Amino acid sequence: MTDMTKPVVAPPGSIVSGDLMQLLYRLSAALLICIILALLNDSFLSLGNILNVLRQTSLLFFIASGLTLVVLTAGLDLSVGANVALSACLAGTVIQHTGSPLLGVLTGLLAGGIVGLLNGVMVTALRIPSFIATYGMLWVLNGLTYWYMAGETIHGFPPGFRQIGSGYLFGLPIPVYLLLIFLAIGTAFAQRTIWGQEIYAVGANPVAARLSGIPVARRLLLVYGVSGTMAGLASIIFLARLNSAEADIGESLTLPAIAAVLIGGTSLFGGVGTVFGTFIGALILTLVLNGMNLLSVNANWQPFITGVIVIVAVWLDMTTRRHKL
Amino acid sequence: MRESAAASPLRRIPGVAVMLALLVGIFGTIAPGFLSLANISNVLLQSTILTLLALPMTLIIMTEGLDLSMGAVVTLTSLMVAIVSLATGSMLLGLAAAIVVGIGFGMLNGWLVAIAGIPPFVATLGTLGMAQGLCLIVSDGQSVVGIPRAVRDIYSATLAGLPVPVVVALIAYAVFHVLLYHTRFGTYIFALGGNREALRYAGLSPAKWLIGAYMIGGLMAGIAGLFMTARMNAGHPTAGLGLEFDAIAAVAVGGTSFERGNGWLFGTVLGVIAVGVLRNGLNLLALPSSLQVASVGFLVIVALFLDGLRSRS
């Protein structure tokens, strides 16, 4: 806190001392899991598996990175999974009817973004607590998607489009490049722009943020919009990867996304956390689930383990940061 | 600013009653057969499981809490009823197992919220995942069929001319009414949401009462599990999916506030009936169940918006 010349709020999320330690803890945890898995199972270190882990991580990261911004403002977006499902089904329909992947991608991003903005309106203009507003939205989207799809599956997309999800470039899956791009954009936005810093300020203390002239409602609208748009992006990657769209593809995505954000060290109470931490969180969760898979643990255990991880991550965060009831 | 708990019910009566009257009026006009005696008793019978869940959900939300795990826990208790009664042939043992599992999850939720201090919506989201996982694990993703007749009959049996589930729901309402308005526990529930500090200054431990509220939720989830299995004549690993949402919807529509710790138990019952009427009416209009889900979601958002308006005025 020596440099007070900058008029921007103090950057509570920048990578310095305490936060650096938090990140190092998490990186070492990820490394430790890797070592254990490598010792337990020969195929863990195979190129195929490593690429698989990276691709899974990137799918999770797209949803979780947008969600990180929401959690930074002390909010929550429980509708991300349902948003992915609706956006994927709409985008898939557009691609099949027009034959244009570009229109499909735009539809997915737009649908996701509009849903996110609606969440933002509920939280700001209607002043409904975010967890309950987005929870209501979850069921609205869920119902609409099932109604729209009527039990059908959209299947078969142009090969060029499928490359987005399953293609390779210089030996690495395309989603991994997208992950690196959005990791860079997300980190730069959160740490290096005024808007990003204002988002931290809104989360750390909304009253102080308002009094210091930050347009709180507009920043909140922004984060929910970004969270929705990232869900839309994730829906495109899912669509291209699975080569099909069904109404239920989003159902098992929300809990892991929230888990990734919380494992990554973003505090539910707002103002603390980084997009990079969320990347590590997504990596750790993917490693754990991948490891269970390699060790032939019944896949039915996955929701149970994810639930335990969510609780332990929050609890660890709270005990290390000493939040009180 | 904060209205007194005693005055709020009177102000709330119009809200949910008007909504219910509107729904009945609309569906009575446009949905064929809606106002028939058979259909109305059908709505009431189908509302019984939701009543059993919405009553404890009211208490939990009054403490500024939330239980997102309730639907998944009901699914789990329903499976316990099916599995245990199938193995032992005894419905009571099945119910006992369901109640033990339900209370266990209630204790875990309460502990996470009250002692560990984790925000309720995340703590119960985590236990939702755990319960969902356990449902898959104990059932291996399959339905449990061939359960004893006694379990199935409990749903269709009558007592003094009323279906057993309706009798149980009425008893549950009476018990919750006494619990909330005529015991010290109820007073603490009001205080937990409205003024938690006051409880602490009075030398009382808020944690104990908070855990109690979640445990009651688990107990009711256990009882609801019995009727769930009885209604479907099977245990199914996704039976209670989204039930917690209907319960939260009923509480929100019924006028209990999410942020100010005041609630109205009878409003919740009207809220349950409103949700039941909405689903039934849309069903009679041949709208798919997916759109019913969406409209309940919309109903919740409207109810919360109205609640927000009221709290600002």
Short mmCIF file of all heavy atoms in Angstrom, two decimals, chain B residues 210-237:
data_model
loop_
_atom_site.label_atom_id
_atom_site.label_comp_id
_atom_site.label_asym_id
_atom_site.label_seq_id
_atom_site.Cartn_x
_atom_site.Cartn_y
_atom_site.Cartn_z
N LEU B 210 -31.00 -22.96 15.06
CA LEU B 210 -30.84 -23.00 13.61
C LEU B 210 -30.71 -24.46 13.15
O LEU B 210 -31.37 -24.88 12.20
CB LEU B 210 -29.60 -22.20 13.24
CG LEU B 210 -29.51 -21.60 11.85
CD1 LEU B 210 -30.78 -20.87 11.49
CD2 LEU B 210 -28.32 -20.66 11.77
N ILE B 211 -29.87 -25.22 13.85
CA ILE B 211 -29.71 -26.64 13.50
C ILE B 211 -31.05 -27.34 13.66
O ILE B 211 -31.44 -28.17 12.82
CB ILE B 211 -28.63 -27.30 14.39
CG1 ILE B 211 -27.27 -26.68 14.11
CG2 ILE B 211 -28.58 -28.80 14.14
CD1 ILE B 211 -26.16 -27.20 14.98
N GLY B 212 -31.81 -26.96 14.71
CA GLY B 212 -33.13 -27.54 14.91
C GLY B 212 -34.04 -27.33 13.72
O GLY B 212 -34.73 -28.26 13.28
N ALA B 213 -34.02 -26.11 13.16
CA ALA B 213 -34.89 -25.81 12.01
C ALA B 213 -34.55 -26.71 10.83
O ALA B 213 -35.45 -27.26 10.17
CB ALA B 213 -34.76 -24.35 11.62
N TYR B 214 -33.25 -26.89 10.56
CA TYR B 214 -32.86 -27.74 9.42
C TYR B 214 -33.17 -29.20 9.70
O TYR B 214 -33.51 -29.97 8.78
CB TYR B 214 -31.38 -27.54 9.09
CG TYR B 214 -31.10 -26.25 8.37
CD1 TYR B 214 -30.77 -25.10 9.07
CD2 TYR B 214 -31.21 -26.17 6.99
CE1 TYR B 214 -30.54 -23.91 8.41
CE2 TYR B 214 -30.98 -24.99 6.33
CZ TYR B 214 -30.63 -23.86 7.04
OH TYR B 214 -30.42 -22.68 6.38
N MET B 215 -33.04 -29.62 10.99
CA MET B 215 -33.35 -31.02 11.33
C MET B 215 -34.83 -31.31 11.13
O MET B 215 -35.21 -32.39 10.68
CB MET B 215 -32.91 -31.33 12.75
CG MET B 215 -31.43 -31.61 12.87
SD MET B 215 -30.89 -31.80 14.57
CE MET B 215 -31.77 -33.27 15.05
N ILE B 216 -35.68 -30.34 11.48
CA ILE B 216 -37.11 -30.52 11.25
C ILE B 216 -37.37 -30.68 9.74
O ILE B 216 -38.19 -31.50 9.33
CB ILE B 216 -37.91 -29.33 11.84
CG1 ILE B 216 -37.83 -29.40 13.36
CG2 ILE B 216 -39.34 -29.35 11.36
CD1 ILE B 216 -38.45 -28.21 14.05
N GLY B 217 -36.62 -29.91 8.95
CA GLY B 217 -36.73 -30.05 7.49
C GLY B 217 -36.38 -31.47 7.06
O GLY B 217 -37.07 -32.07 6.23
N GLY B 218 -35.32 -32.04 7.64
CA GLY B 218 -34.91 -33.40 7.31
C GLY B 218 -35.95 -34.42 7.73
O GLY B 218 -36.26 -35.37 6.98
N LEU B 219 -36.51 -34.23 8.94
CA LEU B 219 -37.56 -35.12 9.44
C LEU B 219 -38.73 -35.15 8.47
O LEU B 219 -39.24 -36.21 8.09
CB LEU B 219 -38.01 -34.65 10.83
CG LEU B 219 -39.31 -35.27 11.36
CD1 LEU B 219 -39.10 -36.72 11.72
CD2 LEU B 219 -39.84 -34.49 12.55
N MET B 220 -39.17 -33.96 8.05
CA MET B 220 -40.32 -33.88 7.15
C MET B 220 -39.98 -34.48 5.78
O MET B 220 -40.84 -35.07 5.13
CB MET B 220 -40.79 -32.43 6.99
CG MET B 220 -41.28 -31.79 8.27
SD MET B 220 -42.57 -32.75 9.09
CE MET B 220 -43.96 -32.43 8.01
N ALA B 221 -38.72 -34.32 5.36
CA ALA B 221 -38.30 -34.95 4.09
C ALA B 221 -38.41 -36.46 4.20
O ALA B 221 -38.78 -37.14 3.23
CB ALA B 221 -36.88 -34.53 3.74
N GLY B 222 -38.10 -37.00 5.39
CA GLY B 222 -38.23 -38.44 5.61
C GLY B 222 -39.68 -38.89 5.48
O GLY B 222 -39.99 -39.88 4.80
N ILE B 223 -40.59 -38.14 6.13
CA ILE B 223 -42.01 -38.51 6.06
C ILE B 223 -42.53 -38.37 4.63
O ILE B 223 -43.26 -39.22 4.13
CB ILE B 223 -42.82 -37.63 7.04
CG1 ILE B 223 -42.36 -37.89 8.48
CG2 ILE B 223 -44.31 -37.90 6.91
CD1 ILE B 223 -42.94 -36.95 9.51
N ALA B 224 -42.12 -37.27 3.98
CA ALA B 224 -42.56 -37.06 2.59
C ALA B 224 -42.07 -38.19 1.68
O ALA B 224 -42.74 -38.56 0.73
CB ALA B 224 -42.06 -35.71 2.07
N GLY B 225 -40.89 -38.73 2.01
CA GLY B 225 -40.33 -39.83 1.22
C GLY B 225 -41.26 -41.04 1.19
O GLY B 225 -41.41 -41.70 0.15
N LEU B 226 -41.90 -41.31 2.34
CA LEU B 226 -42.83 -42.44 2.41
C LEU B 226 -43.97 -42.25 1.41
O LEU B 226 -44.30 -43.15 0.64
CB LEU B 226 -43.39 -42.58 3.83
CG LEU B 226 -44.50 -43.63 3.98
CD1 LEU B 226 -43.97 -45.03 3.76
CD2 LEU B 226 -45.18 -43.52 5.33
N PHE B 227 -44.56 -41.05 1.40
CA PHE B 227 -45.71 -40.80 0.52
C PHE B 227 -45.28 -40.74 -0.94
O PHE B 227 -46.04 -41.10 -1.83
CB PHE B 227 -46.43 -39.52 0.95
CG PHE B 227 -47.15 -39.69 2.25
CD1 PHE B 227 -46.71 -39.05 3.40
CD2 PHE B 227 -48.24 -40.53 2.33
CE1 PHE B 227 -47.36 -39.24 4.60
CE2 PHE B 227 -48.90 -40.72 3.54
CZ PHE B 227 -48.46 -40.07 4.68
N MET B 228 -44.04 -40.27 -1.15
CA MET B 228 -43.52 -40.23 -2.52
C MET B 228 -43.43 -41.65 -3.09
O MET B 228 -43.89 -41.93 -4.19
CB MET B 228 -42.14 -39.58 -2.48
CG MET B 228 -41.47 -39.48 -3.81
SD MET B 228 -42.32 -38.32 -4.83
CE MET B 228 -41.36 -36.90 -4.55
N THR B 229 -42.84 -42.55 -2.29
CA THR B 229 -42.72 -43.94 -2.74
C THR B 229 -44.10 -44.57 -2.89
O THR B 229 -44.35 -45.30 -3.86
CB THR B 229 -41.89 -44.75 -1.72
OG1 THR B 229 -40.65 -44.08 -1.53
CG2 THR B 229 -41.63 -46.15 -2.21
N ALA B 230 -44.99 -44.26 -1.94
CA ALA B 230 -46.33 -44.85 -1.99
C ALA B 230 -47.06 -44.38 -3.24
O ALA B 230 -47.72 -45.16 -3.92
CB ALA B 230 -47.11 -44.44 -0.74
N ARG B 231 -46.92 -43.08 -3.58
CA ARG B 231 -47.65 -42.54 -4.72
C ARG B 231 -47.18 -43.18 -6.03
O ARG B 231 -47.95 -43.47 -6.92
CB ARG B 231 -47.47 -41.02 -4.79
CG ARG B 231 -48.31 -40.40 -5.88
CD ARG B 231 -48.41 -38.92 -5.72
NE ARG B 231 -47.26 -38.23 -6.27
CZ ARG B 231 -47.07 -36.93 -6.17
NH1 ARG B 231 -47.93 -36.19 -5.50
NH2 ARG B 231 -46.03 -36.37 -6.70
N MET B 232 -45.83 -43.39 -6.11
CA MET B 232 -45.29 -43.92 -7.37
C MET B 232 -45.22 -45.43 -7.37
O MET B 232 -44.89 -46.04 -8.39
CB MET B 232 -43.92 -43.34 -7.63
CG MET B 232 -43.95 -41.83 -7.75
SD MET B 232 -42.43 -41.22 -8.42
CE MET B 232 -41.30 -42.07 -7.39
N ASN B 233 -45.49 -46.05 -6.21
CA ASN B 233 -45.41 -47.49 -6.07
C ASN B 233 -44.01 -47.99 -6.45
O ASN B 233 -43.84 -49.09 -6.95
CB ASN B 233 -46.47 -48.17 -6.92
CG ASN B 233 -46.65 -49.63 -6.52
OD1 ASN B 233 -46.23 -50.02 -5.43
ND2 ASN B 233 -47.24 -50.42 -7.40
N ALA B 234 -43.01 -47.14 -6.24
CA ALA B 234 -41.63 -47.50 -6.56
C ALA B 234 -40.70 -46.43 -5.98
O ALA B 234 -41.15 -45.34 -5.63
CB ALA B 234 -41.43 -47.58 -8.08
N GLY B 235 -39.43 -46.78 -5.89
CA GLY B 235 -38.43 -45.77 -5.55
C GLY B 235 -37.69 -45.42 -6.82
O GLY B 235 -37.24 -46.30 -7.54
N HIS B 236 -37.63 -44.13 -7.13
CA HIS B 236 -37.00 -43.74 -8.39
C HIS B 236 -35.89 -42.72 -8.11
O HIS B 236 -36.11 -41.79 -7.34
CB HIS B 236 -38.05 -43.15 -9.34
CG HIS B 236 -37.56 -43.04 -10.74
ND1 HIS B 236 -36.86 -41.94 -11.17
CD2 HIS B 236 -37.65 -43.88 -11.79
CE1 HIS B 236 -36.54 -42.12 -12.45
NE2 HIS B 236 -37.01 -43.30 -12.84
N PRO B 237 -34.70 -42.88 -8.72
CA PRO B 237 -33.55 -42.04 -8.35
C PRO B 237 -33.68 -40.56 -8.72
O PRO B 237 -32.79 -39.78 -8.36
CB PRO B 237 -32.36 -42.69 -9.07
CG PRO B 237 -32.97 -43.55 -10.12
CD PRO B 237 -34.31 -43.97 -9.63
#
